Amino acid sequence: MEYTIVPMDRSHVGQIAELERECFSAPWSEAMLTEALFDAQASFIVAESEDGGLLGYAGLHVVLDEGYIDNIAVDPNARRHGVADELLDVFCRFGAANLAFLTLEVRASNEPAIALYRKHGFEEAGRRKDYYTKPKEDAVIMTRDFKKLR
Ligand SMILES: CC(C)(COP(=O)(O)OP(=O)(O)OC[C@H]1O[C@@H](n2cnc3c(N)ncnc32)[C@H](O)[C@@H]1OP(=O)(O)O)[C@@H](O)C(=O)NCCC(=O)NCCS
């Protein structure tokens, strides 16, 4: 599968919002994604196919030396081809060079995502009870600490 990883720009917002609606019960809207374009703390990246189609995307917020992964999603037709691996690797390499840690929340039942994060060195750091709605579910907090590597 041929694709490149590029920074999110205005042209991606509609397709990302569509993917969000397909993947999540509380999707990010086009307005929220557009706001991220102008947020100096936000870094959103996109896996774009040769014809300009959106295969996946991931979003990160950085506060001082702390990194918060907002989301990662891959088009159902493009899954299991390493796209999420590539997207997450971009944030992990940035984190290893610049951050104390990367952290995120994931639904406790989301086995593909939990396996993805474990593969990239994230460990369970705790749980938030009933964090998610529609359906109600615990969040698993997963963190990759970079301090020890410095
Ligand atoms: C989770 C998700 C992003 C994975 O995307 P993907 O491009 O298919 O993942 P990759 O092909 O890069 O796989 C990377 C690793 O993730 C894990 N993984 C991905 N899909 C998996 C599945 N269905 N079952 C188990 N592990 C899976 C594996 O560890 C895999 O490594 P491997 O291929 O060496 O086994 C994708 O399933 C998705 O978009 N899900 C819906 C949105 C979502 O839940 N996002 C996470 C929110 S916190």
Side-chain angles (χ1 to χ4, degrees), residues 66-81:
E66 304 175 357
Y68 297 88
I69 295 182
D70 298 305
N71 246 342
I72 179 162
V74 172
D75 184 300
N77 297 315
R79 287 183 192 163
R80 302 306 325 240
H81 289 283

Side-chain angles (χ1 to χ4, degrees), residues 24 72-74 79-85 110 112-113 115-117 119:
F24 302 113
I72 179 162
V74 172
R79 287 183 192 163
R80 302 306 325 240
H81 289 283
V83 174
D85 260 346
N110 193 343
L116 167 73
Y117 299 131
K119 182 178 173 184

